[in-house]
């Protein structure tokens, strides 16, 4: 049980990476912590074994990206892999671009693109888009922590930015929106996720490295502890408390010698093995399980 931080290669889907690791690990329970588009690269945390149970309770940590873009055109996918559907001759200065980007920092409402995995009436939007259909979508509240324009050539209108965004934010849509706010168009030309779930690209393994480790029977070295994905304080149970907890007994704050303030904890058993995420119910003063991993 644990997480393998993978540096997803361009052209692979997140599902492709999971399928590859199922084969290398020879296990069925493999999931990922946040979809990356096929053209995107970078940090893809892959959850292995019982760790897949954590995928739906991951903390809302910001995700960091480095994106390349070009002003003056738009595509049906909002990235360079799509078909060009519109062009604009209007050019922007770096000063104008930076000012426009600042307008998107903070809480925003973002409309999911048609080429996305969002479901409408049980069908993925990208499936409808491939059929040439467009449907009404609901804008979602998202958070942009920062947008730093790190490079911009005013002649070619091509540039690069570092962004920090909340879960579910589409960087290509953000770029498209910034372009339109400038009175022109914009398309994403490359995307790398540089940080997610507490991992950065330096800590990730390439597919080639994982294949070699599999051949050498050392793949377990790539599996990181599941608790790395959580920032909660640790609570180590005694042998008696471990037995009680695993039997479904609600442990009280007094037993655990913790304050009555509401708090979420990473729970470790008496052998210091990570076994659960639990929250203190302040009304009853007892520990309640959020998710168990044993």
């Amino acid at each position: 049980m644990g997480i393998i931080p993978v540096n997803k290669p361009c052209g692979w889907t997140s599902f492709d990476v999971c399928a590859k690791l199922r084969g290398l690990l020879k296990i069925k329970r493999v999931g990922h912590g946040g979809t990356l588009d096929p053209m995107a690269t970078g940090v893809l945390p892959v959850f292995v074994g019982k760790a897949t149970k954590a995928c739906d309770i991951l903390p809302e940590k910001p995700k960091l990206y480095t994106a390349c873009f070009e002003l003056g055109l738009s595509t049906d996918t909002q990235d360079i892999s799509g078909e060009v559907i519109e062009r604009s001759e209007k050019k922007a200065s770096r000063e104008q671009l930076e000012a426009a980007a600042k307008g998107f920092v903070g809480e925003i409402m973002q409309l999911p693109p048609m080429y996305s995995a969002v479901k409408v009436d049980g069908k993925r939007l990208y499936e409808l888009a491939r059929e040439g259909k467009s449907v009404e979508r609901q804008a979602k509240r998202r958070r942009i922590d920062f947008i730093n324009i790190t490079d911009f050539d005013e002649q070619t209108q091509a540039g690069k930015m570092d962004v920090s965004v909340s879960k579910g934010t589409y960087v290509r849509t953000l770029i498209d929106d910034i372009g339109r706010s400038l009175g022109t168009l914009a398309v994403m030309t490359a995307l790398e996720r540089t940080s997610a779930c507490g991992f950065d690209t330096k800590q990730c393994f390439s597919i080639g490295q994982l294949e070699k480790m599999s051949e050498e029977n050392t793949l377990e070295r790539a599996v990181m502890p599941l608790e790395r994905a959580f920032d909660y304080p640790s609570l180590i149970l005694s042998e008696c408390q471990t037995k009680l907890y695993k039997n479904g007994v609600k442990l009280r704050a007094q037993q655990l010698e913790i304050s009555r303030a509401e708090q979420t904890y990473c729970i470790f058993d008496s052998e210091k093995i990570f076994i659960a995420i639990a929250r203190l119910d302040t009304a009853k003063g007892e520990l309640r399980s959020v998710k168990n991993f044993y």
Side-chain angles (χ1 to χ4, degrees):
M1 178 181 82
I3 308 171
I4 298 180
V6 179
N7 192 337
K8 190 189 85 65
C10 182
W12 287 51
T13 66
S14 299
F15 178 82
D16 290 338
V17 174
C18 288
K20 180 68 174 181
L21 284 177
R22 283 191 193 96
L24 294 178
L25 294 164
K26 295 179 174 57
I27 63 171
K28 292 182 179 179
R29 297 182 70 178
V30 175
H32 62 78
T35 303
L36 278 175
D37 290 339
M39 74 168 283
T41 63
V43 183
L44 182 69
V46 176
F47 292 73
V48 178
K50 292 180 180 179
T52 54
K53 295 164 69 176
C55 289
D56 62 345
I57 62 164
L58 293 173
E60 291 288 331
K61 294 180 180 178
K63 294 180 179 180
L64 305 183
Y65 295 87
T66 293
C68 295
F69 61 92
E70 184 179 339
L71 302 185
L73 71 158
S74 67
T75 69
D76 55 356
T77 60
Q78 298 180 334
D79 62 39
I80 203 65
S81 69
E83 292 186 20
V84 176
I85 56 175
E86 199 176 352
R87 291 185 182 274
S88 171
E89 296 300 321
K90 182 177 179 180
K91 293 197 172 186
S93 67
R94 179 164 185 156
E95 185 179 9
Q96 290 171 325
L97 175 61
E98 290 177 341
K102 283 182 181 178
F104 288 85
V105 175
E107 297 284 333
I108 66 168
M109 297 300 291
Q110 188 179 74
L111 191 68
M114 278 303 301
Y115 278 90
S116 67
V118 174
K119 280 188 176 181
V120 172
D121 296 330
K123 200 161 186 179
R124 304 283 185 186
L125 285 178
Y126 66 77
E127 293 174 335
L128 295 170
R130 287 170 183 168
E131 294 172 6
K133 299 177 182 177
S134 181
V135 298
E136 187 175 342
R137 292 150 281 157
Q138 295 294 320
K140 304 291 185 181
R141 188 175 299 278
R142 301 295 182 229
R143 189 188 71 256
I144 313 298
D145 298 309
F146 65 76
I147 303 173
N148 292 334
I149 307 298
T150 57
D151 186 37
F152 185 64
D153 186 322
E154 295 186 0
Q155 199 66 31
T156 63
Q157 295 285 281
K160 183 185 290 188
M161 63 170 68
D162 291 333
V163 298
S164 172
V165 301
S166 63
K167 178 182 177 181
T169 303
Y170 291 91
V171 178
R172 52 192 161 99
T173 300
L174 176 63
I175 289 171
D176 181 84
D177 289 342
I178 290 173
R180 293 182 188 279
S181 75
L182 281 164
T184 183
L185 304 168
V187 67
M188 187 177 76
T189 56
L191 181 69
E192 179 187 19
R193 184 191 283 163
T194 56
S195 178
C197 291
F199 297 96
D200 60 34
T201 46
K202 293 178 182 178
Q203 298 165 309
C204 290
F205 296 89
S206 68
I207 296 297
Q209 287 175 314
L210 294 171
E211 288 175 331
K212 185 177 180 181
M213 293 171 82
S214 177
E215 293 170 2
E216 298 172 346
N217 293 316
T218 59
L219 197 52
E220 69 278 359
R221 295 180 186 174
V223 183
M224 303 292 117
L226 174 58
E227 56 266 32
R228 283 277 299 274
F230 300 96
D231 289 330
Y232 307 132
S234 299
L235 187 59
I236 301 173
L237 305 181
S238 67
E239 188 175 348
C240 177
Q241 289 168 343
T242 299
K243 290 179 180 178
L244 290 172
Y245 181 87
K246 288 187 172 182
N247 284 328
V249 177
K250 301 292 189 297
L251 301 176
R252 300 193 64 78
Q254 296 95 317
Q255 291 175 274
L256 301 166
E257 298 182 353
I258 56 178
S259 73
R260 289 288 296 270
E262 184 173 343
Q263 183 70 275
T264 301
Y265 293 91
C266 286
I267 308 298
F268 294 81
D269 66 14
S270 55
E271 297 181 355
K272 297 184 179 180
I273 296 171
F274 181 53
I275 60 169
I277 295 292
R279 181 180 59 82
L280 185 66
D281 184 332
T282 54
K284 296 185 177 180
E286 60 187 28
L287 201 65
R288 290 187 172 272
S289 169
V290 174
K291 189 79 71 173
N292 295 325
F293 303 107
Y294 51 86

